[in-house]
Amino acid sequence: MQFTRIKAGTDGSLGSGPYRRLILKGVTVIDGTGAPAYGPADIVIENDRIHSIISAGRNTDMTQMGQRAEADAQVMDLTGHYVMPGLIDAHAHIPCAEQGPDADYAYKLWLGHGITTVREPGCIGNGLDFSLREARRSDANEITAPRIVAYSAFGAGRGEPFRTPKDAAEWVSGEADKGAKGIKFFGAPPEIFEAAITEANRLGLGTACHHAASDVARVNALTTARWGLSSIEHGYGLPESMFADRRVQRFPGSYNYNNEHDRFAYLGRLWREAAEPGSGLWDDTIAELVSLGTTLDPTLVVYVASRDAARARGREYHRDFSAPQSWKFFQPDPENHGSYFYDWGTEEEVAWKENYRLWMAFVRDFYYRGGRLVVGSDAGFIYNLYGFGLIEEMELLREAGLQPLEIIQCATSAAAGLLGLDDTGAVEPGKRADLLVTAENPLANLKTLYGHGHLRMSADGTLSRSGGVTHTIKDGVVFDAVRLRSDVRDVVAGERERLGVPAPYTP
Ligand SMILES: [Zn+2]
């Protein structure tokens, strides 16, 4: 399909600050390193940095320190709130015009969910130059947007295939000169692919690969990991690294990769063709990936519609937050990538449930044996919306067996490590003030982080929605997350009226 470039972020930041001195008072801190929550604490921010954290049990002379800190500072009384590092969506595409009304729509949903950094793997919809410009405007606080780490798609703009390894290396170095922070691959002939990864590593660029089925027989996830790939996206290429009695997945004779029903129906039958959990090959593969330092970015959420399509179509947030463009893009259509529910039946869903069981077991074993795991949503595809998708990814990691503290570590400090951003991803003195503030305890219930809130019955029997991020702080700039989400609601209602389409409904 053809993508149309989206309208860039509008001028002006809706945030306030950064402040010479800002104090977040009376909060409970989840620091993002995996340490347990503690509080009450006062977080002192100076300009774009966390200056100090004043908390009983950590500082001896609290009152004095507190008074000294408060003199001549902006104070936010956040008694009872939780503060954690801003989330990092490690797989987040800025929508193209077919997927949303404008870039602000996604930016506000990201910030509205406490996401302060996104990695844009490939910039396919709008091009690298667009994402780099938006990244600079976000850094300068000219727009209301998270920090954007832009990767170039391998071969983008070249117009012809790579003929030699040298071509590939030269192209990579050209992208680095433009300002790309990494390269996103889908697959390539082995010599070309290896040369590109080697050059990227030499230049300090990140590398990410979606191991497309079209290339995986030659180059699987273990092959690229051995070449020094930074992150394996989705789950592709991992089962193929653990085939014991075949080299290629057993497709039926009629299989056609360009038919997305075939492609996704058989993807749902892939993990059961690989070595079993706990087998020698399974354990050896994990051990090698861990020792190579390869990161997994499973994006479990983007395919989860495959195991229960009706549930994904009916996600509660669509009613208020899915723009007509997004909703249209999600509908079954061979022209839209990932919109493959032409005739999705029980057999496909049952296969995918088993596929998830095995895939999640791999993710859990990899993490518990020391591997770096990050959290990415790939939102914008398959009924999976910006911001909301990352929270659902965290819930899916909970289903895979990780604890909330571990999941938050993956979504913050681990992801910062992958992106080479060592000054963010933790609530610690000296780090950037990239923070998520919420009135509820996310460790008790991750659902309270969803922008549409969590449905709960109060003592008198009334039902109401509570939760959601209250403030997102990026580089010391404070955004009212509730207001950003309400802006999005208004934009979505306005777009529906302008285009004359109803709220999402299932035919
Ligand atoms: Zn993607």
Side-chain angles (χ1 to χ4, degrees):
M1 73 170 290
Q2 278 293 79
F3 292 118
T4 314
R5 184 173 281 199
I6 202 162
K7 181 167 168 265
T10 50
D11 282 332
S13 163
L14 296 173
S16 57
Y19 297 92
R20 203 184 60 74
R21 177 169 277 200
L22 168 69
I23 300 176
L24 312 181
K25 210 169 159 46
V27 302
T28 300
V29 177
I30 302 166
D31 75 6
T33 66
Y38 67 89
D42 295 349
I43 302 176
V44 182
I45 296 166
E46 288 187 359
N47 302 310
D48 63 342
R49 299 277 158 169
I50 298 168
H51 172 271
S52 48
I53 301 163
I54 302 165
S55 172
R58 300 211 158 202
N59 312 96
T60 41
D61 189 5
M62 271 199 27
T63 330
Q64 216 200 352
M65 278 184 74
Q67 279 163 359
R68 202 164 51 225
E70 272 178 48
D72 173 50
Q74 181 80 22
V75 178
M76 287 171 72
D77 183 1
L78 293 171
T79 305
H81 286 63
Y82 287 75
V83 173
M84 54 189 246
L87 298 170
I88 298 176
D89 190 334
H91 195 121
H93 300 290
I94 299 174
C96 56
E98 286 76 10
Q99 292 171 297
D102 51 31
D104 289 331
Y105 169 69
Y107 297 162
K108 287 181 178 177
L109 284 176
W110 282 329
L111 283 175
H113 284 86
I115 296 167
T116 50
T117 302
V118 299
R119 180 173 63 152
E120 221 297 11
C123 305
I124 290 164
N126 302 296
L128 177 69
D129 53 343
F130 176 94
S131 298
L132 289 174
R133 200 161 52 239
E134 294 292 89
R136 279 192 297 272
R137 296 171 76 212
S138 169
D139 287 346
N141 194 29
E142 290 170 11
I143 52 173
T144 296
R147 183 175 299 108
I148 298 164
V149 178
Y151 280 22
S152 184
F154 186 53
R158 224 181 96 81
E160 56 167 335
F162 294 104
R163 307 278 175 208
T164 66
K166 189 162 161 284
D167 282 351
E170 279 170 10
W171 180 88
V172 167
S173 123
E175 296 304 286
D177 291 344
K178 289 181 199 162
K181 298 286 185 236
I183 310 293
K184 160 83 177 286
F185 298 89
F186 290 91
E191 336 60 73
I192 304 262
F193 201 166
E194 184 178 9
I197 292 180
T198 305
E199 179 66 0
N201 284 336
R202 195 181 69 80
L203 297 167
L205 297 186
T207 50
C209 186
H210 165 151
H211 294 84
S214 40
D215 284 278
V216 80
R218 292 187 292 186
V219 178
N220 62 39
L222 198 52
T223 325
T224 52
R226 287 172 182 154
W227 292 338
L229 182 81
S230 322
S231 69
I232 297 167
E233 303 301 303
H234 319 301
Y236 306 101
L238 289 168
E240 292 92 339
S241 307
M242 301 187 294
F243 280 169
D245 55 359
R246 68 204 65 191
R247 290 284 288 273
V248 174
Q249 187 184 350
R250 295 205 175 142
F251 298 118
S254 60
Y255 179 94
N256 180 342
Y257 181 66
N258 281 358
N259 174 328
E260 286 211 350
H261 175 89
D262 280 5
R263 183 167 154 189
F264 288 98
Y266 285 92
L267 180 59
R269 294 165 170 93
L270 174 59
W271 277 89
R272 69 184 186 196
E273 297 197 22
E276 280 175 38
S279 62
L281 193 48
W282 174 280
D283 288 343
D284 290 351
T285 303
I286 290 175
E288 187 171 356
L289 289 172
V290 170
S291 76
L292 289 166
T294 317
T295 297
L296 288 197
D297 181 12
T299 71
L300 296 160
V301 63
V302 71
Y303 304 106
V304 79
S306 308
R307 68 176 188 180
D308 189 348
R311 183 189 172 279
R313 281 194 296 265
R315 280 171 174 134
E316 290 173 330
Y317 58 68
H318 289 307
R319 192 192 64 189
D320 290 336
F321 292 100
S322 271
Q325 296 85 349
S326 319
W327 186 249
K328 182 163 180 276
F329 192 83
F330 294 148
Q331 301 314 306
D333 183 346
E335 284 299 306
N336 294 347
H337 171 54
S339 303
Y340 49 85
F341 300 97
Y342 322 135
D343 184 13
W344 198 254
T346 309
E347 294 308 306
E348 283 73 31
E349 291 191 352
V350 168
W352 266 98
K353 283 176 184 165
E354 175 66 0
N355 208 46
Y356 264 91
R357 191 183 67 78
L358 297 165
W359 183 12
M360 285 176 164
F362 188 91
V363 167
R364 182 188 58 236
D365 286 356
F366 171 84
Y367 178 67
Y368 284 156
R369 292 171 199 181
R372 179 158 64 199
L373 181 66
V374 297
V375 183
S377 70
D378 205 1
F381 298 91
I382 325 183
Y383 298 99
N384 168 35
L385 204 60
Y386 310 96
F388 299 91
L390 196 71
I391 309 306
E392 190 169 342
E393 180 73 5
M394 294 168 75
E395 285 201 277
L396 288 164
L397 291 173
R398 184 72 193 86
E399 181 183 335
L402 276 67
Q403 304 177 64
L405 274 177
E406 295 166 338
I407 297 163
I408 289 171
Q409 186 254 336
C410 294
T412 59
S413 59
L418 169 67
L419 301 185
L421 301 172
D422 40 357
D423 60 354
T424 188
V427 186
E428 282 176 341
K431 299 280 187 195
R432 283 178 189 277
D434 290 342
L435 303 167
L436 177 163
V437 184
T438 174
E440 301 224 13
N441 182 358
L443 299 172
N445 181 5
L446 292 167
K447 288 186 194 299
T448 61
L449 293 171
Y450 281 116
H452 63 305
H454 170 59
L455 191 63
R456 185 186 278 144
M457 192 168 73
S458 60
D460 67 358
T462 52
L463 284 175
S464 64
R465 289 198 170 267
S466 60
V469 173
T470 60
H471 299 86
T472 301
I473 303 177
K474 190 202 91 181
D475 280 331
V477 176
V478 182
F479 295 94
D480 177 343
V482 179
R483 190 227 153 146
L484 295 180
R485 297 194 302 269
S486 127
D487 281 3
V488 171
R489 244 189 246 110
D490 293 346
V491 164
V492 166
E495 284 292 286
R496 283 182 192 148
E497 205 177 295
R498 183 176 73 81
L499 297 166
V501 297
Y505 72 99
T506 306

